[in-house]
């Protein structure tokens, strides 16, 4: 990892914890705010530790983009949790064959960047 990339990653990590420190839930309830603050901190720790040993520059850049997208979406909607996506079910394809593999590939491609690592952690 280059020093510039390392600084960017550490800056994002600090930014997340600053956001968590100032976070106020949309409902305004104290217990909800505390839960959301803890979620933000735990999610950040988990994902940064999981990706600690990543060395591929392209993969690092994808992780940075995902982090920035999740920060922007969380701040915009005032919800720290990943927003759900609604993809059509794969009900038309059989469990094997070309159509199924093609639909699986399309579903994987269409998944938003801010949810790339969410399914792996949860």
């Amino acid at each position: 990892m280059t020093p510039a990339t390392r600084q960017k990653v550490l800056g994002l990590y600090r930014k997340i914890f600053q956001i968590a420190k100032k976070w106020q839930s949309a409902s305004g309830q104290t217990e909800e705010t505390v839960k959301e603050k803890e979620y933000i901190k735990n999610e950040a720790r988990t994902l940064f530790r999981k990706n600690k040993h990543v060395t591929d520059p392209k993969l690092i850049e994808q992780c940075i983009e995902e982090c920035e997208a999740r920060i922007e979406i969380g701040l915009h909607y005032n919800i720290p949790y990943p927003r759900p996506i609604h993809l059509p079910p794969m009900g038309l394809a059989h469990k094997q064959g070309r159509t199924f593999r093609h639909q699986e590939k399309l579903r994987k491609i269409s998944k938003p960047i801010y949810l790339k690592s969410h399914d792996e952690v949860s």
Side-chain angles (χ1 to χ4, degrees):
M1 183 183 318
T2 65
T5 306
R6 179 178 165 77
Q7 287 295 85
K8 192 172 188 177
V9 170
L10 291 174
L12 283 171
Y13 193 71
R14 276 187 235 106
K15 183 177 181 179
I16 291 169
F17 278 89
Q18 289 170 354
I19 290 169
K21 193 175 189 180
K22 299 176 190 175
W23 187 263
Q24 184 66 32
S25 71
S27 67
Q29 297 177 354
T30 307
E31 60 273 357
E32 191 71 27
T33 300
V34 171
K35 279 175 49 178
E36 289 180 3
K37 284 181 176 185
E38 283 304 309
Y39 173 80
I40 292 168
K41 292 175 187 176
N42 291 336
E43 185 78 1
R45 283 185 193 113
T46 303
L47 290 174
F48 276 85
R49 285 180 183 154
K50 179 185 143 254
N51 295 319
K52 183 167 74 172
H53 301 293
V54 175
T55 56
D56 181 28
K58 288 183 181 179
L59 193 55
I60 292 171
E61 195 58 39
Q62 284 179 349
C63 292
I64 290 171
E65 287 175 10
E66 178 184 356
C67 182
E68 290 171 342
R70 288 184 73 170
I71 288 172
E72 290 301 315
I73 289 171
L75 291 175
H76 178 76
Y77 292 104
N78 200 28
I79 300 172
Y81 311 108
R83 293 179 50 81
I85 57 168
H86 303 287
L87 297 175
M90 295 189 297
L92 299 177
H94 298 288
K95 296 290 183 204
Q96 297 174 347
R98 268 175 123 167
T99 309
F100 182 73
R101 286 192 303 270
H102 181 67
Q103 282 185 0
E104 267 186 335
K105 183 179 177 185
L106 288 175
R107 286 176 67 85
K108 187 175 182 181
I109 290 171
S110 65
K111 184 179 271 192
I113 191 166
Y114 63 88
L115 285 177
K116 296 289 183 191
S117 63
H118 184 264
D119 292 338
E120 298 167 7
V121 173
S122 299

